[in-house]
Amino acid sequence: MSSDLKLHQLECLVAVADHGSVRAAAGRLGRSPTAVSKALRELEQSMNVVLMERRADGVGLTPSGTALLSHARLILGQLSRASEDVAQAAAKRGGTIRMSVTPWLMHGVIPAVVRDFREQRPDVQLDIAEHLGGDYPAVRNGQLDFAFGPSPDAGQERALEIRPIYTYSFAVVCRPGHRAAGARTIADLRGYDWLLSRSMERTAQAIRALLEDQRDEAVQRCHFARSVSAALAIVRSTDMLTAVPWPLIETPDMRDRFVALDFDAINDEITTCLITRRYEPLQGAALAFLETFWRVSRGLAGSPDGATRRIFSMVEPAYL
């Protein structure tokens, strides 16, 4: 197997994986389909493996192709960031910070961090996505600079640097006027539908047990929304229940719009972490943003503002 990989070959691999066909990839790259096919063929020959296979719906990756794809994204991402860093160093300005943020931190902390950072670095563009779950492919492959989210799922530790920040627990949430608003135990919630924004494996054990006990093929009690905002919008207009971090429900955006139910049985703790790539220290604007985050979050933890105090009363710092 040769290690004589060329950047244009990796670009073609990523483009075909993203667009599903050689023709679409060629259009995206501004090259001819013949040139893209040739680059992929040469890449397969240099590695002595089959990377692509034709399928009814286009072109797909083999297991070997999938394995190489994550490395290709990381290499191309690092080169792109290197070009940005050089340009920024020359101009002493500019650049984009790409991150994903868990919802409670997005509502409770990040707005103040962004306000402060924008005053320092008006030249930097921010690209912020919502983060759910414990999988971090966009951090691993270089599409994101970092993420704020729960501890990663097993198997990612070798590629990621994990720094715990806060721990918290969950509240069951319903709309005002809901029949379950006066529930005293988790058992009182039998018979209601749930809309969860986390996988069942990451849902509080007491809620999992309640839903498992009600498993019925004729009536589905558990549903999923891959956005906390979407889940809460639906819960606010239906009799469905959900579970959200306590600090999120204490934010001004949420506090008066929902009823939070506190049960002793729900005592699972989750840790919000800063997730970065291992062996790739952050630099430039991304590092400056995180420095602002640490400074502002420590200041918020001691804030005299009542709303801010309520948020931080629901978390335990893990970074001090």
Side-chain angles (χ1 to χ4, degrees):
M1 179 183 296
S2 171
S3 60
D4 186 24
L5 303 181
K6 296 180 173 58
L7 290 179
H8 77 279
Q9 296 170 344
L10 298 182
E11 289 173 342
C12 291
L13 178 70
V14 171
V16 170
D18 287 345
H19 297 279
S21 73
V22 170
R23 183 173 297 278
R28 172 66 179 84
L29 295 171
R31 301 171 189 170
S32 69
T34 301
V36 172
S37 295
K38 180 182 177 183
L40 293 173
R41 187 168 58 252
E42 291 174 345
L43 180 59
E44 289 181 321
Q45 291 171 352
S46 71
M47 303 199 74
N48 197 29
V49 294
V50 176
L51 300 173
M52 319 286 294
E53 58 185 6
R54 292 194 175 277
R55 299 175 182 169
D57 58 348
V59 178
L61 297 181
T62 65
S64 295
T66 300
L68 179 60
L69 177 65
S70 61
H71 294 285
R73 290 192 193 280
L74 183 57
I75 291 168
L76 295 174
Q78 287 175 326
L79 286 172
S80 176
R81 288 191 300 278
S83 296
E84 287 184 4
D85 287 346
V86 170
Q88 291 168 32
K92 294 185 169 52
R93 62 182 178 82
T96 299
I97 305 172
R98 299 174 179 88
M99 71 188 87
S100 62
V101 182
T102 193
W104 84 261
L105 208 64
M106 185 87 81
H107 285 265
V109 178
I110 293 299
V113 177
V114 168
R115 183 171 58 247
D116 193 296
F117 183 76
R118 291 290 300 143
E119 292 178 356
Q120 303 174 51
R121 297 293 303 272
D123 57 303
V124 175
Q125 182 182 64
L126 300 176
D127 188 336
I128 307 174
E130 180 181 53
H131 185 86
L132 298 174
D135 194 16
Y136 294 90
V139 176
R140 297 197 308 271
N141 65 30
Q143 291 177 310
L144 294 178
D145 294 298
F146 54 82
F148 294 104
S151 301
D153 295 335
Q156 302 178 81
E157 298 85 352
R158 291 179 57 186
L160 300 175
E161 194 74 35
I162 306 160
R163 180 174 178 178
I165 309 173
Y166 300 105
T167 59
Y168 60 89
S169 57
F170 284 90
V172 174
V173 170
C174 63
R175 63 171 176 79
H178 196 291
R179 288 173 295 168
R184 295 181 178 276
T185 70
I186 192 76
D188 294 337
L189 303 182
R190 286 185 63 85
Y192 291 108
D193 290 345
W194 290 74
L195 185 60
L196 304 176
S197 58
R198 300 164 62 84
S199 67
M200 187 62 79
E201 294 75 16
R202 284 184 170 263
T203 298
Q205 184 175 355
I207 297 174
R208 291 203 309 270
L210 177 70
L211 291 169
E212 288 290 337
D213 190 49
Q214 300 178 85
R215 186 181 291 273
D216 184 342
E217 292 184 1
V219 180
Q220 293 290 339
R221 292 295 182 194
C222 184
H223 309 270
F224 296 93
R226 304 304 177 183
S227 161
V228 170
S229 297
L232 288 171
I234 294 171
V235 165
R236 192 161 183 256
S237 300
T238 67
D239 282 338
M240 300 181 88
L241 305 174
T242 191
V244 301
W246 267 110
L248 175 60
I249 210 62
E250 289 292 348
T251 62
D253 292 339
M254 305 293 174
R255 181 175 171 79
D256 297 327
R257 302 173 66 191
F258 298 93
V259 175
L261 308 178
D262 188 8
F263 301 114
D264 291 339
I266 301 179
N267 52 20
D268 311 56
E269 288 194 338
I270 302 297
T271 301
T272 294
C273 305
L274 168 64
I275 310 295
T276 57
R277 282 179 295 282
R278 191 179 291 274
Y279 310 124
E280 189 181 334
L282 293 173
Q283 300 179 6
L287 180 60
F289 185 91
L290 289 181
E291 290 172 346
T292 303
F293 172 83
W294 298 120
R295 175 172 50 77
V296 170
S297 61
R298 287 188 172 96
L300 290 174
S303 171
D305 176 69
T308 303
R309 284 205 311 272
R310 285 193 296 271
I311 296 170
F312 279 86
S313 71
M314 294 297 169
V315 300
E316 288 291 333
Y319 60 87
L320 298 176

